[in-house]
Amino acid sequence: MLNNYLGSGHADLLYFIPRNNDIIIRLYSGTPGGGVSATANIGQGWGTFDYVVAGDINQDGKTDLLGRKTNGDLYYYEARKGAMYFKPGVKVGNGWSGMRSLTFMPRTIGNKAGVLAVDTAGRMHIYPFANNRGNFAGSVKLGYGWSRFTRVMGVGDADSNGKSDFLATDSSGYLYLYRANSAGTDFAAAQVGHGWNGMSQILPIDMSQGGGITAVDSKGKLHYYTVHRHSSSPQPGWRPPARYLQPVSAIRPAGSTVVPRLGWNGTKVREVRGRLVGTPPLNSSMTFDKRTENAVKRFQRRYKLGANGIVDYRTWVRMTSRSWTMDNFRMTPVPLSANRNQRLNAMLTFARKQVGSPYTWGGAGGYVDGYDCSGLALQAIYRAGLDPQPINVIAHAAPTYRSSKQLYAHPRLQKVGFGARQPGDLIFWQGRGGIYHVAIYLGSNQIIESNYGHARQRALYNWGSIAPYVVRPLAS
């Protein structure tokens, strides 16, 4: 790990080395120009940890460590003043084994240092520190869709707006810079490199120490990459004719959440039914029905919550540990610099990865919580970098709202005759009541759909009547 451990103004390197069934820490001091020189072994006994994060947690100018043990306990190691060693560890948390990525962020929400964490379900969270002793305030959830990223790495304040940014690599080797907004609650992505899947380790240098990246390739060679700033604005990626939806860097938040009650659908209703009624059916009977309402009332009476059958916030937090805004899941769009082929590939790759996800009436994901047909299509469109407002993930769960109809009728989505269909187009089925089903066309007469049971890939079929037009989100 690279950081300012010695206070020299250069990026120093901590190197973890297996030795005699244990792991020791060796410190390499940074030199001008990005080099390092061996200094000393400064710690042992680190074999019980499976994740270590470095950063100035107590804001005293020296780099501290957070270590996660294999049982999920989190320990804070404060740097000693005037020495290169750390004080004994203090336990500051437990239950962190559900996180697959932890990244220190010097300035986050409220200008506090914090930890950016990605859990095993692909959700991202920010945990700001509440004090200089390594204790956390409550977390802020940033959304789903981070499962495809192989690394999340702090880079400091890349755009000088006072908030910490981060770098991320995906499974294809693309490198992205995510810049925080002024509140530190949202990030905008830009692709800044490719071919990074050939590196066994990538270690960004904080911008406060000059920036750049040190990386270890598959042959064990250590490389140093300086920061390269373009003198002109980056070239835009794909742009369709102005009458169609234009690419966005972030999907607009829905601004609300479903309050589960009679007649409503979606992932929160699925959670309620699973907790109080039993395994919900994988079809349109998953709605919040009278049986569910009665079960909620019994639950509310048991905990003296006011038995009105509506799952408000107080009832929800008593019932489940899931986030109150779990239904705000939105896939992260590809960068604005992406061309049409990159957007199409991202859209279809996302759809293929959802095969096997359970069917959820009114659901829009993620994978574990499930989709209905239009929920899957909506998230695929998000992944391609388009935001078909006023359709959003909350309206999608409303009792009488049908996103498939709204997508087919959207005035800024291109319609093309069914015979001219291409991969990435949306195919619709219609009946006496109008549009009732949608699937994503893959080409070669194959589709991906979420239908009763689960999401699946199958041959295109004429169940009922296929609509005469397809919708092409990536207008041509």
Side-chain angles (χ1 to χ4, degrees), residues 56-302:
D56 187 4
I57 294 167
N58 60 7
Q59 304 291 291
D60 67 350
K62 293 206 68 177
T63 300
D64 313 301
L65 298 179
L66 279 176
R68 183 184 68 184
K69 293 200 171 185
T70 52
N71 65 356
D73 290 345
L74 201 65
Y75 284 80
Y76 166 48
Y77 288 82
E78 182 183 353
R80 293 183 184 273
K81 294 181 179 179
M84 63 181 68
Y85 300 95
F86 298 93
K87 294 181 181 179
V90 176
K91 184 177 176 179
V92 294
N94 55 32
W96 287 78
S97 55
M99 299 297 175
R100 66 180 182 88
S101 172
L102 302 173
T103 306
F104 178 78
M105 303 286 277
R107 292 178 71 86
T108 63
I109 299 166
N111 290 328
K112 297 178 180 179
V115 170
L116 192 70
V118 177
D119 65 24
T120 52
R123 292 171 293 190
M124 181 173 280
H125 317 250
I126 291 180
Y127 291 83
F129 288 103
N131 51 46
N132 61 3
R133 299 184 298 277
N135 303 116
F136 293 98
S139 69
V140 176
K141 296 175 176 60
L142 297 181
Y144 290 78
W146 294 90
S147 298
R148 71 186 182 92
F149 288 93
T150 54
R151 302 178 180 91
V152 177
M153 306 161 286
V155 71
D157 187 2
D159 54 5
S160 302
N161 74 338
K163 292 294 185 291
S164 299
D165 310 307
F166 65 92
L167 290 168
T169 56
D170 65 14
S171 55
S172 299
Y174 288 99
L175 180 68
Y176 300 89
L177 173 63
Y178 283 83
R179 297 183 177 91
N181 63 9
S182 59
T185 56
D186 200 4
F187 295 85
Q191 183 183 321
V192 294
H194 57 86
W196 289 84
N197 49 358
M199 297 295 179
S200 63
Q201 291 193 56
I202 303 173
L203 307 172
I205 300 170
D206 194 281
M207 295 299 292
S208 65
Q209 298 164 54
I213 294 176
T214 297
V216 181
D217 66 21
S218 58
K219 297 180 180 179
K221 293 183 179 179
L222 186 66
H223 304 261
Y224 173 55
Y225 298 84
T226 59
V227 175
H228 176 63
R229 291 183 173 87
H230 293 282
S231 57
S232 59
S233 298
Q235 293 297 310
W238 170 79
R239 295 293 183 274
R243 63 184 179 276
Y244 298 124
L245 286 178
Q246 300 297 305
V248 296
S249 59
I251 304 303
R252 190 184 312 173
S256 61
T257 185
V258 169
V259 179
R261 58 196 186 276
L262 192 64
W264 278 72
N265 314 295
T267 55
K268 288 176 76 174
V269 170
R270 177 190 179 90
E271 177 73 8
V272 171
R273 291 196 55 156
R275 296 279 177 177
L276 301 184
V277 183
T279 303
L282 300 178
N283 54 42
S284 60
S285 298
M286 195 187 295
T287 192
F288 195 117
D289 56 9
K290 288 296 295 184
R291 181 186 176 199
T292 307
E293 184 181 58
N294 291 334
V296 171
K297 288 179 179 178
R298 289 194 297 271
F299 179 87
Q300 291 171 325
R301 291 190 192 100
R302 188 184 318 144

Side-chain angles (χ1 to χ4, degrees), residues 414-442:
Q414 184 182 23
K415 279 187 176 177
V416 180
F418 175 79
R421 61 192 180 277
Q422 296 177 0
D425 291 347
L426 304 181
I427 296 177
F428 295 83
W429 283 256
Q430 62 183 6
R432 290 183 179 179
I435 299 296
Y436 63 82
H437 186 57
V438 59
I440 302 167
Y441 188 61
L442 299 177

